[in-house]
Amino acid sequence: MNRNEQILMTEEFVRQNLKGYDSGHDWWHIVRVRKLAMFINDMELLADSFTVDITALLHDTADSKFAGGDNEQNYLRIRDFLDSKGMSDIRDQVIHVIKNVSFSSKHKKDNPDDPLLWVVQDADRLDAIGAIGVARAFNYGGFRNNKIYDPEIVSQKETSKGTINVGSSSTISHFYEKLLLLKYRMNTLTAKKMAAERHEFLELFLKQFYGEWYFGS
Ligand code: ADP
Ligand code: NI
């Protein structure tokens, strides 16, 4: 099986796997992350581009929030897939990234020493900020039936502790828990530059949001 056929088979495997995910984690998220990862890697020359492509394609397939079952079982399924399509050579590298890419991954280390992970993680994180990030956050919040915003919870935590720590009670709170932190967590210079612009948009969005919410007060 040549590299092109392996990419086609992986695309098909990923499409089958993503059924049941929310639309912020759909095939188009994969397409965007793939493009971003390729761009970052072309600029930074950190990893082999075929491996970047396969890893970007597979990066969300074991997410236990959606894939269900046990994570270890999901990793085994991906391992079997890669072996069966003649990609045993990159198998361990790819699985290492899948295990570590998530913001909340329990496997994560603060300074991962893996260039392939830097690239794919940056791409995934860029897709969580900017206009697309806002759209995905509210989409995910809706999927979970979370509130858009709860002013009582946010202000209560602000006065008592001086920091905002509001669980996942609203999608606006998710901005403070995660989205506004992502620009500080980029691994590569290319992604840092892109994140700065997308971060500014998050701030602009919040400013407009609060302006409308607190209109007249
Ligand atoms: P990761 O894979 O980095 O752990 P997630 O899968 O948790 O990230 O999140 C992926 C997308 O879903 C992101 O765009 C993120 O902002 C959004 N998301 C995750 N949790 C929430 C939440 N509680 N409220 C709103 N959006 C969320
Ligand atoms: Ni992702």
Side-chain angles (χ1 to χ4, degrees):
M1 206 178 288
N2 67 35
R3 290 309 206 192
N4 266 343
E5 286 167 333
Q6 287 169 328
I7 288 175
L8 288 173
M9 300 299 296
T10 308
E11 287 175 354
E12 187 49 35
F13 177 77
V14 171
R15 280 177 184 277
Q16 288 306 319
N17 262 272
L18 290 175
K19 287 184 179 155
Y21 283 37
D22 72 303
S23 51
H25 283 89
D26 64 2
W27 174 248
W28 297 111
H29 165 64
I30 304 299
V31 171
R32 293 189 302 269
V33 169
R34 205 177 169 187
K35 220 190 283 179
L36 286 165
M38 291 303 227
F39 176 77
I40 294 167
N41 195 51
D42 285 348
M43 300 294 288
E44 309 259 343
L45 302 174
L46 286 167
D48 163 62
S49 69
F50 172 76
T51 313
V52 170
D53 202 8
I54 296 292
T55 312
L57 273 165
L58 288 168
H59 84 272
D60 269 340
T61 27
D63 193 325
S64 57
K65 278 202 297 305
F66 304 101
D70 157 281
N71 274 342
E72 295 306 321
Q73 243 169 0
N74 293 327
Y75 301 142
L76 278 181
R77 215 161 33 84
I78 295 166
R79 176 183 297 258
D80 287 347
F81 167 78
L82 291 169
D83 284 345
S84 70
K85 305 299 176 211
M87 292 183 273
S88 305
D89 53 331
I90 61 168
R91 181 191 73 192
D92 293 348
Q93 273 179 283
V94 174
I95 293 188
H96 180 257
V97 172
I98 294 172
K99 285 185 177 173
N100 288 279
V101 74
S102 171
F103 179 81
S104 49
S105 168
K106 60 176 188 297
H107 298 272
K108 90 172 169 219
K109 289 189 245 147
D110 279 347
N111 293 304
D113 184 16
D114 176 356
L116 180 64
L117 175 61
W118 297 339
V119 170
V120 176
Q121 192 171 56
D122 280 0
D124 197 30
R125 288 175 172 176
L126 281 170
D127 204 53
I129 54 179
I132 300 263
V134 172
R136 289 181 72 214
F138 284 98
N139 184 70
Y140 185 92
F143 178 71
R144 293 271 163 200
N145 204 23
N146 292 343
K147 291 177 188 157
I148 293 172
Y149 174 48
D150 188 336
E152 286 174 6
I153 293 174
V154 172
S155 56
Q156 183 190 359
K157 299 282 178 175
E158 267 176 344
T159 51
S160 63
K161 289 200 167 164
T163 52
I164 293 169
N165 177 19
V166 281
S168 284
S169 52
S170 79
T171 299
I172 290 291
S173 70
H174 182 68
F175 280 61
Y176 298 94
E177 290 158 20
K178 173 171 168 183
L179 305 187
L180 291 167
L181 310 178
L182 289 178
K183 89 162 175 175
Y184 304 105
R185 307 243 174 146
M186 295 295 161
N187 302 298
T188 66
L189 190 59
T190 305
K192 280 180 194 173
K193 287 186 195 152
M194 294 175 79
E197 192 197 334
R198 293 179 186 216
H199 183 95
E200 268 181 41
F201 182 79
L202 294 182
E203 301 214 318
L204 181 69
F205 173 82
L206 287 172
K207 191 166 171 249
Q208 177 79 15
F209 184 95
Y210 292 130
E212 293 175 15
W213 190 284
Y214 293 105
F215 170 73
S217 58

